[in-house]
Amino acid sequence: MNILVIGLGLIGGSICKALKKYTKHTVTGCDINTDVVNAALSDKSIDNAFSGDYNDTDIVILCLYPEASEEFFRSNAEKMKGKVSLVTDACGIKGDFSRRLRDIAAENGMEYIGMHPMAGREVGGYANSTSDLFVRANFIIAPFEDSTPENTELLKNLALEIGAGKLVVTHPDNHDKVIAYTSQLAHVVSSAYVKSPELEYECGFSGGSFQDMTRIATMNEKMWTDLFIQNRENLIYELDTLIGNLQRYSDALHNNDEGKLRVLIREGRLLKEDNLRKRLGQPN
């Protein structure tokens, strides 16, 4: 296929590199930064720089921030009309965002189906992209009820080609509900966690748990604000649930209640152990 990737940052650049390493598809790259496009051409991560002509393009993959992806598609959909059959994106939000892109696609004789590779790094940009970013990563495909099964299968196969370890096919609304817990909440917690005044003194006192908790605090504030706001209701629910649970631990400590604290810790241990068993396919 001829695949056009819009946005050559960490995810877009990695998609291009993975496609060139693991597939026979022809890859065209588009980025507002000409230095990035030239770098991608130089290291053969793309076959062509986008000329503005959508002829012979089979798939367009939007790899910009959600707001920018929607703006680009809305501005260029008429130019794609009659040429591009399938548009997808790699954004970490679906729900209403996907509905808007689906409507734009339908108005212009195309189909849109969203996808979300569950992969990333603490640092962004094309310079940090890698062909193996998606190897063994979870990969979510988010069609609507009336999406074409053939195009859903096409995206599933494309994800497997670039290394996806586990494929999940789910409705865009369910994607946002679960992602609020598995991804967005963790980013909020990490960002809040580093705001302790003790951060100044952590060097030499920290181990793996500190690094795990703070690794993603270096997230890009523009992109993640966009993601949080577009999924605010689901994220508010998860954040309020977490605050309630944290309050129970705080209350036990304030009351010097060792018994309650042991119960709370045991509850968490049992839930995580059950989660690990399910991941490994083991019986309860």
Side-chain angles (χ1 to χ4, degrees), residues 81-145:
K81 192 172 184 177
K83 302 171 184 178
V84 177
S85 58
L86 179 62
V87 175
T88 187
D89 73 288
C91 298
I93 188 74
K94 294 294 175 268
D96 289 340
F97 167 79
S98 285
R99 286 186 182 83
R100 293 192 296 272
L101 267 62
R102 177 189 61 177
D103 291 346
I104 296 169
E107 290 166 5
N108 292 276
M110 295 175 279
E111 181 164 29
Y112 162 82
I113 299 174
M115 64 180 184
H116 182 191
M118 298 300 295
R121 303 181 71 182
E122 298 81 46
V123 287
Y126 180 80
N128 296 297
S129 62
T130 169
S131 60
D132 292 329
L133 186 67
F134 311 108
V135 174
R136 293 185 295 278
N138 293 332
F139 219 103
I140 304 170
I141 312 295
F144 289 95
E145 297 89 346

Side-chain angles (χ1 to χ4, degrees), residues 23-63:
T23 80
K24 300 295 184 183
H25 304 305
T26 299
V27 183
T28 299
C30 174
D31 196 278
I32 195 171
N33 188 332
T34 55
D35 289 341
V36 167
V37 175
N38 290 333
L41 286 168
S42 178
D43 60 24
K44 302 189 186 314
S45 298
I46 59 175
D47 298 292
N48 309 291
F50 182 51
S51 66
D53 184 0
Y54 291 96
N55 282 313
D56 302 319
T57 301
D58 297 304
I59 302 176
V60 173
I61 305 177
L62 302 169
C63 296

